[in-house]
Amino acid sequence: FPVTIRPTASGIVYGQSLSASLLSGGVASVPGTVVTVPGTFTWSNPSTQPAVGTSLQAYTFTPTDTVNYQATSGTVSVTVAKATPVITWSTPAAITYGTTLSATQLNATSSVAGSFVYSPTNGALLTAGTNMLNVTLNPTDTNNYTTASKSLSLVVNKAGSTVTVTCSCSYRDWE
């Protein structure tokens, strides 16, 4: 028996398998009748991780009544979007005014290879108070990953003041 209405597949993100995509809306029926056959649509290869873009993937329709009806299969389009890399970057400890930004504060990481661009940049001198730090990850694999960004705040404490008193006094002996 044919599938008269193919199911539709929900979109997934690069790195996800077909099992993350839901099949819905399909209908199977007995040829030459209006009798629909109850059953379920599943992915034929649920562990497949398709490439970014749209591709045809195989599904299987399994009827609830397997005594009178047999399973059938077909294909449906699945759209796979680029994944956004996860940036790991913890809020750094406060610094004191006069300390320039370094790898101690600008130390974001990701499991996705690429280049990190910081704003403000390494060596910048920030004003006292709370300052925003920003990082953008430009992935090496632009076919499968989008650019990612993250922001956090850094507290810059006021520098302590040092007062030096010099005296140009002379001591006179008064008799």
Side-chain angles (χ1 to χ4, degrees):
F1 64 93
V3 171
T4 52
I5 299 175
R6 287 185 196 188
T8 57
S10 63
I12 56 176
V13 175
Y14 175 74
Q16 290 183 311
S17 61
L18 287 175
S19 61
S21 174
L22 301 176
L23 290 169
S24 62
V27 175
S29 60
V30 177
T33 72
V34 292
V35 176
T36 59
V37 179
T40 56
F41 288 93
T42 58
W43 292 109
S44 299
N45 301 299
S47 62
T48 298
Q49 293 180 334
V52 169
T54 301
S55 63
L56 290 176
Q57 299 295 327
Y59 66 82
T60 301
F61 175 78
T62 305
T64 304
D65 178 359
T66 56
V67 173
N68 296 305
Y69 301 104
Q70 63 184 6
T72 187
S73 60
T75 58
V76 64
S77 291
V78 178
T79 300
V80 179
K82 290 182 180 185
T84 301
V86 174
I87 297 174
T88 303
W89 191 22
S90 298
T91 300
I95 59 175
T96 302
Y97 177 75
T99 303
T100 57
L101 289 178
S102 69
T104 301
Q105 297 82 32
L106 307 178
N107 59 355
T109 61
S110 178
S111 62
V112 175
S115 61
F116 291 95
V117 178
Y118 293 95
S119 176
T121 59
N122 190 22
L125 180 62
L126 304 178
T127 58
T130 301
N131 293 265
M132 290 304 297
L133 302 179
N134 303 293
V135 66
T136 299
L137 170 59
N138 296 308
T140 303
D141 179 0
T142 57
N143 292 325
N144 295 309
Y145 293 97
T146 63
T147 299
S149 297
K150 187 169 182 177
S151 298
L152 51 81
S153 59
L154 172 65
V155 174
V156 178
N157 295 320
K158 292 179 181 180
S161 300
T162 303
V163 177
T164 304
V165 178
T166 57
C167 179
S168 60
C169 305
S170 64
Y171 177 73
R172 249 175 134 169
D173 189 25
W174 296 88
E175 294 189 35

